[in-house]
Amino acid sequence: MTTIDISVEAGWKEICAVEDIPVLGSRLVKAARGGDIAIFRNAENEVFALHDKCPHKQGPLSQGIVHGRQVTCPLHSWKIELDSGNAVAPDVGCTKSFEVKVEGGKVLLKV
């Protein structure tokens, strides 16, 4: 996990090269306000962005285990969908998801 500071401005912000996010890992983005954002990369090289707080007990999702299109919270093993931020049943809850895309090998986050 690597931390990147960003200031909140309207539009897309370049975060890093996609290769800078480990496969099945994350990078942590420190936002000026609104809380930290975890950027995840799965085995299929898909990239996702979620608020770095599990909806259960606010565990750091950036430290969780990425599998398929989900991340498992390191505190109590809740599974969170990477594309929507929704908890997987039987758990109930949601963390905010953010728009993210890859262009020319660079990860861009909508801020």
Side-chain angles (χ1 to χ4, degrees):
M1 175 179 57
T2 303
T3 301
I4 304 166
D5 290 319
I6 64 167
S7 59
V8 177
E9 299 174 13
W12 292 94
K13 174 76 175 176
E14 184 178 317
I15 301 300
C16 62
V18 72
E19 293 83 21
D20 292 338
I21 304 170
V23 173
L24 302 178
S26 70
R27 289 191 77 163
L28 186 63
V29 176
K30 295 278 191 184
R33 59 178 181 252
D36 296 343
I37 301 167
I39 310 290
F40 300 94
R41 180 177 172 200
N42 69 8
E44 290 75 37
N45 286 316
E46 295 175 295
V47 178
F48 305 90
L50 296 175
H51 189 237
D52 192 34
K53 299 280 183 194
C54 178
H56 177 227
K57 298 269 184 173
Q58 312 309 304
L61 294 175
S62 61
Q63 295 177 28
I65 298 170
V66 175
H67 47 95
R69 296 180 65 128
Q70 299 175 355
V71 61
T72 298
C73 179
L75 294 185
H76 300 103
S77 298
W78 275 37
K79 292 178 183 66
I80 308 298
E81 297 286 349
L82 289 170
D83 58 347
S84 66
N86 291 321
V88 175
D91 298 319
V92 178
C94 185
T95 192
K96 181 174 175 53
S97 62
F98 296 87
E99 288 184 63
V100 66
K101 63 184 178 180
V102 177
E103 287 185 352
K106 300 291 183 183
V107 176
L108 303 170
L109 177 67
K110 179 87 176 221
V111 293

XYZ file of all heavy atoms in Angstrom:
836
model
N 0.840 -1.168 0.000
C 0.000 0.000 0.000
C 0.889 1.235 0.000
O 1.843 1.308 0.748
C -0.900 -0.003 1.222
C -1.726 1.244 1.342
S -2.822 1.276 2.767
C -1.704 1.049 4.104
N 0.557 2.210 -0.864
C 1.254 3.473 -0.941
C 0.245 4.585 -0.747
O -0.884 4.495 -1.208
C 1.915 3.632 -2.330
O 2.775 2.521 -2.537
C 2.704 4.903 -2.418
N 0.631 5.650 -0.076
C -0.253 6.782 0.152
C 0.088 7.899 -0.821
O 1.257 8.193 -1.039
C -0.112 7.286 1.600
O -0.444 6.231 2.480
C -1.018 8.463 1.855
N -0.959 8.502 -1.391
C -0.808 9.623 -2.311
C -1.685 10.745 -1.803
O -2.839 10.519 -1.456
C -1.267 9.250 -3.732
C -0.509 8.039 -4.228
C -1.121 10.410 -4.689
C -1.103 7.410 -5.455
N -1.172 11.963 -1.724
C -1.997 13.105 -1.328
C -2.588 13.747 -2.568
O -1.912 13.929 -3.576
C -1.161 14.155 -0.586
C -0.735 13.679 0.781
O -1.576 13.051 1.466
O 0.411 13.928 1.180
N -3.888 14.084 -2.505
C -4.515 14.827 -3.592
C -5.322 15.958 -2.991
O -5.805 15.882 -1.874
C -5.443 13.950 -4.466
C -6.629 13.415 -3.659
C -4.698 12.850 -5.147
C -7.714 12.810 -4.521
N -5.423 17.047 -3.719
C -6.335 18.106 -3.332
C -7.623 17.877 -4.105
O -7.620 17.341 -5.200
C -5.741 19.477 -3.662
O -5.485 19.572 -5.036
N -8.732 18.249 -3.512
C -10.020 17.993 -4.139
C -10.340 19.130 -5.098
O -10.517 20.269 -4.709
C -11.123 17.849 -3.066
C -12.472 17.660 -3.719
C -10.813 16.688 -2.158
N -10.368 18.813 -6.371
C -10.748 19.741 -7.428
C -11.700 18.990 -8.335
O -11.639 17.775 -8.453
C -9.521 20.183 -8.238
C -8.466 20.906 -7.436
C -7.217 21.174 -8.261
O -7.244 21.019 -9.494
O -6.206 21.529 -7.645
N -12.598 19.730 -8.994
C -13.549 19.077 -9.901
C -12.801 18.434 -11.060
O -11.816 18.973 -11.551
C -14.557 20.094 -10.413
N -13.268 17.280 -11.494
C -12.696 16.618 -12.655
C -11.911 15.382 -12.298
O -12.034 14.825 -11.215
N -11.091 14.922 -13.243
C -10.292 13.702 -13.090
C -8.898 14.052 -12.614
O -8.275 14.973 -13.110
C -10.220 12.958 -14.412
C -11.537 12.394 -14.832
C -12.462 12.986 -15.656
C -12.093 11.138 -14.461
N -13.548 12.164 -15.809
C -13.352 11.017 -15.089
C -11.661 10.094 -13.653
C -14.170 9.900 -14.931
C -12.467 8.982 -13.502
C -13.713 8.894 -14.140
N -8.391 13.290 -11.665
C -7.057 13.498 -11.111
C -6.210 12.263 -11.379
O -6.610 11.141 -11.058
C -7.169 13.746 -9.602
C -5.869 13.846 -8.875
C -5.223 15.178 -9.117
C -3.955 15.287 -8.264
N -3.236 16.501 -8.502
N -5.050 12.448 -11.997
C -4.144 11.324 -12.211
C -3.559 10.894 -10.871
O -3.053 11.715 -10.108
C -3.017 11.715 -13.164
C -2.100 10.567 -13.492
C -1.004 10.932 -14.481
O -1.314 11.630 -15.474
O 0.142 10.524 -14.244
N -3.652 9.593 -10.593
C -3.210 9.059 -9.309
C -1.846 8.379 -9.430
O -0.936 8.665 -8.664
C -4.245 8.064 -8.737
C -5.599 8.752 -8.542
C -3.763 7.435 -7.440
C -5.578 9.930 -7.595
N -1.714 7.464 -10.396
C -0.484 6.697 -10.535
C -0.568 5.878 -11.816
O -1.592 5.873 -12.491
C -0.282 5.761 -9.342
S -1.588 4.521 -9.151
N 0.489 5.183 -12.124
C 0.458 4.202 -13.210
C -0.259 2.965 -12.682
O -0.145 2.640 -11.494
C 1.867 3.839 -13.660
N -0.993 2.273 -13.542
C -1.719 1.080 -13.104
C -0.756 0.036 -12.537
O -1.089 -0.665 -11.578
C -2.614 0.515 -14.224
C -1.801 -0.135 -15.328
C -3.641 -0.443 -13.676
N 0.466 -0.036 -13.058
C 1.457 -0.991 -12.561
C 1.919 -0.664 -11.148
O 2.526 -1.503 -10.481
C 2.672 -1.060 -13.497
C 2.379 -1.655 -14.851
C 1.784 -0.629 -15.829
O 1.957 0.588 -15.626
O 1.134 -1.066 -16.783
N 1.671 0.575 -10.693
C 2.062 0.958 -9.338
C 1.125 0.384 -8.277
O 1.429 0.457 -7.083
C 2.101 2.479 -9.199
C 3.220 3.102 -10.007
O 4.199 2.402 -10.329
O 3.117 4.302 -10.320
N -0.017 -0.153 -8.704
C -0.937 -0.808 -7.773
C -0.671 -2.304 -7.886
O -0.795 -2.874 -8.964
C -2.407 -0.509 -8.124
C -2.661 0.993 -8.168
C -3.345 -1.183 -7.116
C -4.013 1.361 -8.738
N -0.310 -2.945 -6.799
C -0.035 -4.381 -6.889
C -1.282 -5.162 -7.314
O -2.394 -4.807 -6.929
C 0.377 -4.775 -5.472
C 0.414 -3.541 -4.668
C -0.164 -2.430 -5.458
N -1.093 -6.201 -8.116
C -2.205 -7.088 -8.453
C -2.713 -7.671 -7.137
O -1.927 -8.096 -6.287
C -1.746 -8.200 -9.420
C -2.860 -9.215 -9.641
C -1.295 -7.594 -10.744
N -4.032 -7.648 -6.969
C -4.702 -8.075 -5.738
C -4.310 -7.194 -4.544
O -4.311 -7.628 -3.390
C -4.437 -9.547 -5.412
C -4.841 -10.549 -6.487
C -4.480 -11.963 -6.061
C -6.330 -10.446 -6.780
N -4.007 -5.930 -4.841
C -3.605 -4.994 -3.792
C -4.277 -3.651 -3.931
O -5.252 -3.501 -4.673
N -3.727 -2.663 -3.225
C -4.325 -1.335 -3.225
C -3.283 -0.248 -3.030
O -2.138 -0.526 -2.667
C -5.366 -1.232 -2.101
O -4.730 -1.229 -0.840
N -3.740 0.970 -3.281
C -3.000 2.181 -2.930
C -3.974 3.059 -2.184
O -5.168 3.072 -2.481
C -2.497 2.914 -4.165
C -1.368 2.159 -4.856
C -0.704 2.970 -5.877
N 0.188 3.925 -5.231
C 1.159 4.567 -5.858
N 1.353 4.360 -7.126
N 1.924 5.412 -5.236
N -3.488 3.809 -1.247
C -4.327 4.683 -0.443
C -4.142 6.118 -0.895
O -3.014 6.600 -1.007
C -3.963 4.537 1.037
C -4.846 5.279 2.021
C -6.278 4.749 1.961
C -4.289 5.129 3.425
N -5.250 6.790 -1.151
C -5.235 8.186 -1.567
C -5.740 9.020 -0.391
O -6.849 8.811 0.090
C -6.134 8.408 -2.809
C -6.188 9.875 -3.176
C -5.636 7.578 -3.975
N -4.925 9.940 0.086
C -5.308 10.861 1.153
C -5.999 12.053 0.520
O -5.386 12.801 -0.217
C -4.081 11.337 1.929
C -3.370 10.250 2.682
C -4.066 10.002 3.974
C -3.219 9.111 4.859
N -3.902 8.770 6.077
N -7.289 12.196 0.786
C -8.061 13.310 0.233
C -8.029 14.483 1.202
O -7.931 14.297 2.422
C -9.496 12.876 -0.032
N -8.118 15.693 0.658
C -8.108 16.893 1.491
C -9.315 16.921 2.427
O -9.246 17.450 3.520
C -8.083 18.139 0.604
N -10.430 16.367 1.967
C -11.615 16.258 2.817
C -12.437 15.067 2.350
O -12.283 14.588 1.235
C -12.430 17.543 2.780
C -12.917 17.921 1.408
C -13.761 19.201 1.452
N -14.221 19.487 0.118
C -13.773 20.470 -0.637
N -12.878 21.284 -0.168
N -14.241 20.649 -1.853
N -13.280 14.560 3.227
C -14.160 13.465 2.856
C -13.638 12.079 3.166
O -14.335 11.106 2.969
N -12.415 11.957 3.644
C -11.875 10.654 4.008
C -11.005 10.039 2.929
O -11.059 10.414 1.765
N -10.205 9.094 3.333
C -9.262 8.428 2.436
C -9.994 7.546 1.428
O -11.083 7.042 1.692
C -8.286 7.572 3.226
C -7.398 8.407 4.146
O -7.310 9.629 3.946
O -6.806 7.817 5.071
N -9.355 7.357 0.278
C -9.903 6.545 -0.808
C -8.904 5.431 -1.111
O -7.708 5.689 -1.276
C -10.150 7.405 -2.066
C -11.125 8.534 -1.750
C -10.654 6.529 -3.223
C -11.204 9.608 -2.824
N -9.414 4.205 -1.171
C -8.581 3.049 -1.514
C -8.789 2.734 -2.996
O -9.920 2.611 -3.452
C -8.956 1.853 -0.656
N -7.696 2.626 -3.738
C -7.718 2.247 -5.147
C -7.245 0.796 -5.220
O -6.143 0.479 -4.765
C -6.789 3.135 -6.003
C -7.022 4.622 -5.741
C -6.921 2.779 -7.480
C -8.321 5.158 -6.248
N -8.083 -0.086 -5.769
C -7.796 -1.517 -5.819
C -7.547 -1.979 -7.253
O -8.106 -1.437 -8.189
C -8.994 -2.320 -5.283
C -9.352 -2.004 -3.868
C -10.322 -1.061 -3.570
C -8.724 -2.653 -2.822
C -10.675 -0.770 -2.261
C -9.060 -2.374 -1.502
C -10.036 -1.430 -1.232
N -6.741 -3.035 -7.372
C -6.499 -3.694 -8.660
C -6.691 -5.192 -8.463
O -6.068 -5.792 -7.567
C -5.085 -3.399 -9.143
C -4.714 -4.030 -10.468
C -3.307 -3.592 -10.840
N -2.783 -4.278 -11.990
C -1.494 -4.365 -12.277
N -0.591 -3.804 -11.499
N -1.097 -4.999 -13.347
N -7.547 -5.798 -9.268
C -7.779 -7.242 -9.119
C -6.921 -8.034 -10.099
O -6.120 -7.464 -10.848
C -9.275 -7.581 -9.213
C -9.872 -7.396 -10.586
O -9.184 -7.151 -11.572
N -11.184 -7.512 -10.661
N -7.087 -9.339 -10.115
C -6.272 -10.221 -10.955
C -6.511 -10.005 -12.442
O -5.659 -10.340 -13.265
C -6.528 -11.682 -10.583
N -7.668 -9.447 -12.802
C -7.994 -9.170 -14.208
C -7.572 -7.761 -14.612
O -7.974 -7.261 -15.659
C -9.498 -9.354 -14.445
C -9.964 -10.809 -14.381
C -10.038 -11.342 -12.951
O -10.417 -10.577 -12.035
O -9.704 -12.519 -12.746
N -6.775 -7.093 -13.762
C -6.291 -5.731 -13.988
C -7.411 -4.700 -14.038
O -7.240 -3.629 -14.600
C -5.407 -5.632 -15.234
C -4.051 -6.247 -14.989
O -3.439 -6.030 -13.940
N -3.593 -7.039 -15.938
N -8.571 -5.016 -13.433
C -9.625 -4.019 -13.277
C -9.260 -3.148 -12.070
O -8.670 -3.635 -11.101
C -10.974 -4.678 -13.022
C -11.474 -5.507 -14.189
C -12.744 -6.242 -13.836
O -12.695 -7.126 -12.939
O -13.782 -5.927 -14.450
N -9.620 -1.871 -12.141
C -9.299 -0.922 -11.082
C -10.603 -0.366 -10.506
O -11.533 -0.049 -11.255
C -8.397 0.211 -11.630
C -8.099 1.240 -10.559
C -7.099 -0.375 -12.178
N -10.656 -0.245 -9.177
C -11.834 0.212 -8.461
C -11.412 1.206 -7.379
O -10.266 1.173 -6.923
C -12.537 -0.966 -7.773
C -12.886 -2.097 -8.695
C -11.993 -3.137 -8.913
C -14.104 -2.129 -9.351
C -12.309 -4.184 -9.757
C -14.424 -3.179 -10.207
C -13.529 -4.202 -10.406
N -12.351 2.037 -6.943
C -12.065 2.999 -5.875
C -13.221 3.025 -4.881
O -14.382 3.154 -5.274
C -11.843 4.384 -6.470
N -12.878 2.894 -3.604
C -13.861 2.916 -2.518
C -13.365 3.799 -1.384
O -12.147 3.927 -1.168
C -14.072 1.512 -1.940
C -14.653 0.421 -2.818
C -14.647 -0.908 -2.062
C -16.060 0.786 -3.250
N -14.315 4.367 -0.632
C -13.972 5.023 0.620
C -13.278 3.973 1.484
O -13.723 2.821 1.529
C -15.262 5.538 1.275
C -15.027 6.404 2.449
N -15.547 6.119 3.668
C -14.331 7.555 2.601
C -15.196 7.049 4.530
N -14.456 7.931 3.906
N -12.211 4.323 2.144
C -11.386 3.346 2.859
C -11.955 3.005 4.238
O -11.225 2.941 5.219
C -9.956 3.864 2.989
C -8.988 2.794 3.467
O -9.187 1.616 3.110
O -8.042 3.141 4.200
N -13.263 2.796 4.314
C -13.916 2.447 5.579
C -14.964 1.376 5.330
O -15.893 1.570 4.549
C -14.611 3.661 6.195
C -13.703 4.814 6.527
C -12.995 4.587 7.821
C -12.151 5.803 8.165
N -11.210 5.552 9.200
N -14.827 0.248 5.992
C -15.845 -0.794 5.926
C -17.124 -0.264 6.575
O -17.054 0.430 7.603
C -15.353 -2.035 6.660
S -16.547 -3.392 6.694
N -18.302 -0.579 6.011
C -19.542 -0.083 6.606
C -19.859 -0.702 7.962
O -20.700 -0.199 8.695
C -20.606 -0.460 5.569
C -20.016 -1.555 4.766
C -18.532 -1.338 4.789
N -19.168 -1.763 8.338
C -19.445 -2.445 9.602
C -18.845 -1.697 10.787
O -19.553 -1.093 11.570
C -18.919 -3.887 9.526
C -19.073 -4.662 10.786
N -18.038 -5.402 11.306
C -20.110 -4.828 11.626
C -18.441 -6.000 12.423
N -19.698 -5.667 12.642
N -17.532 -1.697 10.905
C -16.844 -1.067 12.038
C -15.729 -0.132 11.568
O -14.765 0.108 12.292
C -16.255 -2.126 12.965
C -17.265 -3.056 13.596
C -17.745 -2.520 14.911
C -18.686 -3.538 15.548
N -19.071 -3.183 16.876
N -15.859 0.368 10.329
C -14.927 1.347 9.766
C -13.513 0.802 9.567
O -12.543 1.560 9.571
C -14.876 2.620 10.618
C -16.229 3.196 10.990
C -17.155 3.383 9.803
O -16.799 4.051 8.850
N -18.326 2.786 9.849
N -13.393 -0.500 9.365
C -12.083 -1.106 9.119
C -11.456 -0.585 7.840
O -12.157 -0.193 6.901
N -10.126 -0.554 7.758
C -9.422 -0.038 6.581
C -9.454 -1.038 5.421
O -8.681 -1.987 5.391
C -8.004 0.187 7.089
C -7.841 -0.854 8.167
C -9.200 -1.000 8.803
N -10.338 -0.813 4.473
C -10.466 -1.733 3.335
C -9.178 -1.836 2.527
O -8.904 -2.870 1.924
C -11.632 -1.315 2.447
C -13.017 -1.429 3.098
C -14.088 -0.876 2.165
C -13.318 -2.865 3.478
N -8.377 -0.778 2.525
C -7.111 -0.802 1.783
C -6.162 -1.872 2.307
O -5.237 -2.271 1.613
C -6.435 0.570 1.842
O -6.147 0.920 3.189
N -6.392 -2.361 3.501
C -5.560 -3.408 4.086
C -6.214 -4.786 3.966
O -5.701 -5.775 4.497
C -5.270 -3.087 5.554
C -4.446 -1.832 5.711
C -4.219 -1.469 7.163
O -4.204 -2.332 8.035
N -4.047 -0.189 7.426
N -7.345 -4.843 3.259
C -8.067 -6.092 3.093
C -7.507 -6.960 1.986
O -6.559 -6.595 1.283
N -8.120 -8.116 1.819
C -7.712 -9.083 0.800
C -8.621 -8.930 -0.408
O -9.849 -9.038 -0.292
C -7.789 -10.519 1.351
C -6.818 -10.660 2.524
C -7.495 -11.544 0.254
C -6.979 -11.953 3.294
N -8.027 -8.679 -1.584
C -8.771 -8.541 -2.834
C -8.910 -9.922 -3.465
O -7.935 -10.668 -3.581
C -8.058 -7.572 -3.812
C -8.769 -7.518 -5.139
C -7.943 -6.185 -3.182
N -10.132 -10.258 -3.875
C -10.407 -11.534 -4.543
C -11.566 -11.301 -5.493
O -12.606 -10.755 -5.114
C -10.728 -12.641 -3.527
C -11.721 -12.218 -2.480
N -13.061 -12.475 -2.595
C -11.547 -11.522 -1.343
C -13.680 -11.963 -1.543
N -12.784 -11.380 -0.764
N -11.364 -11.672 -6.746
C -12.394 -11.423 -7.759
C -12.714 -9.947 -7.846
O -11.828 -9.129 -8.064
N -13.983 -9.617 -7.649
C -14.417 -8.219 -7.652
C -14.880 -7.800 -6.265
O -15.805 -7.013 -6.112
C -15.526 -8.033 -8.680
C -15.037 -8.306 -10.111
C -16.131 -8.108 -11.094
N -16.506 -6.701 -11.087
C -16.593 -5.937 -12.147
N -16.350 -6.431 -13.311
N -16.935 -4.686 -12.052
N -14.192 -8.342 -5.241
C -14.522 -8.044 -3.852
C -13.246 -7.811 -3.055
O -12.163 -8.230 -3.441
C -15.286 -9.207 -3.202
C -16.605 -9.525 -3.854
C -17.267 -10.755 -3.241
O -16.707 -11.441 -2.392
N -18.484 -11.029 -3.684
N -13.425 -7.144 -1.904
C -12.357 -7.017 -0.922
C -12.935 -7.482 0.417
O -14.085 -7.202 0.731
C -11.807 -5.572 -0.830
C -12.867 -4.562 -0.418
C -10.601 -5.503 0.091
N -12.137 -8.220 1.167
C -12.552 -8.674 2.487
C -11.911 -7.781 3.534
O -10.689 -7.611 3.559
C -12.144 -10.145 2.719
O -12.812 -10.957 1.751
C -12.531 -10.611 4.108
N -12.741 -7.199 4.385
C -12.263 -6.301 5.435
C -11.341 -7.053 6.389
O -11.661 -8.178 6.802
C -13.452 -5.710 6.190
S -12.947 -4.595 7.522
N -10.209 -6.442 6.779
C -9.268 -7.134 7.652
C -9.750 -7.261 9.101
O -9.205 -8.057 9.853
C -8.008 -6.272 7.568
C -8.519 -4.904 7.276
C -9.710 -5.121 6.368
N -10.766 -6.517 9.498
C -11.196 -6.571 10.896
C -12.163 -7.714 11.196
O -11.960 -8.466 12.137
C -11.850 -5.249 11.312
C -10.948 -4.021 11.349
C -11.706 -2.826 11.895
C -9.688 -4.275 12.172
N -13.247 -7.826 10.410
C -14.281 -8.804 10.732
C -14.722 -9.621 9.515
O -15.797 -10.205 9.510
C -15.489 -8.101 11.366
C -15.129 -7.393 12.628
N -14.963 -6.027 12.662
C -14.864 -7.855 13.879
C -14.625 -5.677 13.896
N -14.547 -6.760 14.651
N -13.914 -9.608 8.463
C -14.116 -10.444 7.270
C -15.392 -10.150 6.482
O -15.899 -11.023 5.786
C -14.062 -11.933 7.638
O -12.790 -12.246 8.165
N -15.916 -8.937 6.590
C -17.023 -8.570 5.705
C -16.495 -8.491 4.284
O -15.392 -7.974 4.043
C -17.596 -7.216 6.103
C -18.616 -7.257 7.197
C -18.626 -8.062 8.299
C -19.771 -6.433 7.288
N -19.712 -7.774 9.074
C -20.442 -6.778 8.477
C -20.306 -5.432 6.486
C -21.620 -6.166 8.877
C -21.475 -4.814 6.896
C -22.123 -5.192 8.076
N -17.269 -8.988 3.336
C -16.912 -8.897 1.920
C -17.656 -7.706 1.317
O -18.867 -7.575 1.476
C -17.271 -10.189 1.204
C -16.415 -11.357 1.638
C -16.828 -12.638 0.943
C -16.023 -13.808 1.430
N -16.261 -14.157 2.817
N -16.910 -6.853 0.593
C -17.455 -5.641 -0.011
C -17.248 -5.719 -1.515
O -16.136 -6.008 -1.986
C -16.763 -4.379 0.554
C -16.788 -4.364 2.095
C -17.369 -3.120 -0.037
C -18.161 -4.331 2.719
N -18.303 -5.468 -2.282
C -18.218 -5.431 -3.749
C -17.386 -4.216 -4.171
O -17.687 -3.087 -3.759
C -19.615 -5.340 -4.368
C -20.508 -6.530 -4.072
C -20.123 -7.772 -4.848
O -19.301 -7.678 -5.773
O -20.652 -8.846 -4.511
N -16.352 -4.451 -4.977
C -15.472 -3.358 -5.388
C -16.151 -2.365 -6.326
O -15.814 -1.185 -6.312
C -14.216 -3.927 -6.051
C -13.241 -4.628 -5.097
C -12.168 -5.363 -5.888
C -12.629 -3.636 -4.125
N -17.093 -2.824 -7.145
C -17.709 -1.906 -8.101
C -18.797 -1.035 -7.487
O -19.006 0.092 -7.925
C -18.239 -2.650 -9.326
C -19.262 -3.715 -8.979
O -19.409 -4.061 -7.788
O -19.906 -4.221 -9.910
N -19.472 -1.506 -6.435
C -20.592 -0.754 -5.867
C -20.366 -0.286 -4.434
O -21.030 0.636 -3.972
C -21.863 -1.614 -5.899
O -21.719 -2.723 -5.020
N -19.477 -0.948 -3.710
C -19.280 -0.642 -2.299
C -20.259 -1.352 -1.385
O -20.222 -1.188 -0.163
N -21.156 -2.172 -1.951
C -22.155 -2.886 -1.162
C -21.548 -4.084 -0.453
O -20.732 -4.808 -1.022
C -23.307 -3.371 -2.039
C -24.142 -2.233 -2.559
O -24.401 -1.262 -1.861
N -24.567 -2.342 -3.810
N -22.019 -4.308 0.786
C -21.638 -5.513 1.522
C -22.334 -6.706 0.879
O -23.447 -6.599 0.372
C -22.044 -5.379 2.982
N -21.659 -7.859 0.901
C -22.201 -9.095 0.350
C -23.077 -9.749 1.427
O -22.670 -9.854 2.587
C -21.069 -10.039 -0.087
C -21.605 -11.375 -0.555
C -20.232 -9.380 -1.184
N -24.282 -10.188 1.030
C -25.219 -10.832 1.956
C -24.553 -12.030 2.614
O -23.727 -12.691 1.986
C -26.480 -11.251 1.213
N -24.826 -12.288 3.861
C -25.936 -11.766 4.646
C -25.664 -10.414 5.288
O -26.554 -9.839 5.921
C -26.128 -12.835 5.730
C -24.732 -13.335 5.978
C -24.079 -13.315 4.608
N -24.454 -9.880 5.138
C -24.156 -8.576 5.719
C -24.871 -7.477 4.934
O -25.163 -7.632 3.748
C -22.644 -8.339 5.731
C -21.923 -9.372 6.585
O -22.443 -9.691 7.665
O -20.864 -9.859 6.162
N -25.139 -6.376 5.610
C -25.870 -5.270 5.008
C -25.117 -3.977 5.290
O -24.697 -3.727 6.411
C -27.303 -5.174 5.585
C -28.042 -3.992 4.997
C -28.066 -6.464 5.339
N -24.944 -3.165 4.264
C -24.276 -1.879 4.413
C -23.600 -1.504 3.118
O -23.576 -2.278 2.162
N -23.052 -0.306 3.074
C -22.423 0.183 1.854
C -21.373 1.226 2.209
O -21.550 2.005 3.142
C -23.488 0.791 0.942
S -22.851 1.297 -0.664
N -20.290 1.213 1.471
C -19.306 2.279 1.538
C -19.312 2.977 0.183
O -19.668 2.378 -0.833
C -17.903 1.739 1.905
O -17.057 2.839 2.229
C -17.299 0.933 0.788
N -18.950 4.240 0.163
C -19.008 5.035 -1.072
C -18.008 4.519 -2.099
O -16.866 4.228 -1.778
C -18.726 6.503 -0.763
C -18.788 7.397 -1.981
C -18.645 8.850 -1.597
C -18.578 9.773 -2.783
N -19.609 9.668 -3.755
N -18.488 4.397 -3.328
C -17.588 4.061 -4.437
C -17.324 5.333 -5.238
O -18.118 6.273 -5.212
C -18.188 2.973 -5.323
O -19.387 3.415 -5.901
N -16.204 5.365 -5.925
C -15.794 6.523 -6.718
C -15.517 6.081 -8.146
O -15.078 4.955 -8.378
C -14.516 7.152 -6.134
C -14.693 7.706 -4.754
C -14.520 6.894 -3.640
C -15.044 9.028 -4.560
C -14.687 7.389 -2.365
C -15.211 9.538 -3.286
C -15.042 8.715 -2.181
N -15.740 6.996 -9.078
C -15.418 6.705 -10.473
C -13.912 6.686 -10.643
O -13.197 7.568 -10.162
C -16.015 7.772 -11.397
C -17.512 7.705 -11.532
C -18.014 8.735 -12.533
O -17.645 8.625 -13.730
O -18.744 9.631 -12.114
N -13.433 5.676 -11.331
C -12.015 5.525 -11.612
C -11.884 4.916 -12.997
O -12.743 4.145 -13.431
C -11.323 4.668 -10.514
C -11.820 3.252 -10.519
C -9.823 4.713 -10.618
N -10.840 5.291 -13.713
C -10.608 4.733 -15.043
C -9.116 4.670 -15.304
O -8.317 5.309 -14.614
C -11.312 5.564 -16.117
C -10.820 6.994 -16.239
C -11.639 7.771 -17.270
C -11.181 9.220 -17.359
N -11.959 9.973 -18.349
N -8.766 3.867 -16.312
C -7.374 3.743 -16.736
C -7.294 4.242 -18.165
O -8.022 3.784 -19.039
C -6.877 2.283 -16.638
C -5.459 2.161 -17.155
C -6.989 1.783 -15.210
N -6.415 5.200 -18.396
C -6.171 5.742 -19.743
C -4.665 5.815 -19.963
O -3.957 6.422 -19.160
C -6.777 7.144 -19.893
C -8.273 7.156 -19.983
C -8.834 8.554 -20.261
O -8.061 9.547 -20.238
O -10.045 8.649 -20.469
N -4.208 5.188 -21.034
C -2.779 5.219 -21.351
C -1.919 4.673 -20.235
O -0.806 5.171 -20.013
N -2.430 3.687 -19.501
C -1.665 3.097 -18.416
C -1.699 3.883 -17.122
O -1.092 3.478 -16.132
N -2.424 5.005 -17.094
C -2.518 5.852 -15.895
C -3.878 5.694 -15.243
O -4.904 5.632 -15.932
C -2.306 7.332 -16.241
C -0.965 7.631 -16.855
C 0.133 7.452 -15.836
C 1.478 7.817 -16.447
N 2.565 7.585 -15.524
N -3.906 5.642 -13.918
C -5.158 5.554 -13.156
C -5.645 6.962 -12.877
O -4.897 7.789 -12.338
C -4.947 4.786 -11.835
C -6.222 4.779 -11.004
C -4.479 3.371 -12.116
N -6.898 7.228 -13.250
C -7.508 8.533 -13.030
C -8.704 8.370 -12.100
O -9.519 7.467 -12.280
C -7.961 9.147 -14.353
C -6.880 9.306 -15.418
C -7.501 9.681 -16.749
C -5.881 10.351 -14.981
N -8.809 9.268 -11.124
C -9.875 9.241 -10.139
C -10.742 10.476 -10.320
O -10.218 11.591 -10.414
C -9.286 9.216 -8.736
C -10.246 9.258 -7.555
C -11.067 7.975 -7.491
C -9.473 9.472 -6.257
N -12.064 10.274 -10.359
C -12.987 11.406 -10.462
C -13.128 12.018 -9.090
O -13.530 11.353 -8.137
C -14.346 10.921 -10.985
C -15.384 11.986 -11.118
C -15.281 12.651 -12.463
C -16.398 13.662 -12.622
N -16.972 13.651 -13.923
N -12.759 13.283 -8.970
C -12.832 13.987 -7.670
C -13.781 15.167 -7.756
O -14.105 15.625 -8.825
C -11.439 14.440 -7.194
C -10.586 13.246 -6.856
C -10.742 15.301 -8.208
